Amino acid sequence: MGWIRACATVIYRLAGIEKSVGLSCPVVEQLSAVELLHRMPGRARRLRGEQPRRARTAHRHFYGR
């Protein structure tokens, strides 16, 4: 998943979620996903287009705004 910059409350929430569902995945799976997305450029474009909406949703969930 990478690095996360957030207040302590959000980090604690994420840590709790990670323990229950596992937010990270092994490197081999990440590399496989990258390779698949390169083979499916339309899907990659759609996912990038959804990124701002997903970021807003996550922000509302964790910060309540």
Side-chain angles (χ1 to χ4, degrees), residues 10-59:
V10 173
I11 297 298
Y12 287 122
R13 285 184 193 169
L14 289 172
I17 292 169
E18 200 280 329
K19 288 178 186 173
S20 65
V21 296
L23 291 175
S24 60
C25 65
V27 174
V28 173
E29 281 84 349
Q30 292 178 34
L31 293 172
S32 298
V34 168
E35 181 61 30
L36 287 172
L37 288 173
H38 282 301
R39 294 178 187 196
M40 302 169 15
R43 177 69 177 144
R45 273 195 302 278
R46 268 194 315 281
L47 289 173
R48 279 194 298 275
E50 293 174 6
Q51 188 174 7
R53 179 184 56 81
R54 290 178 186 207
R56 286 190 304 273
T57 300
H59 190 272

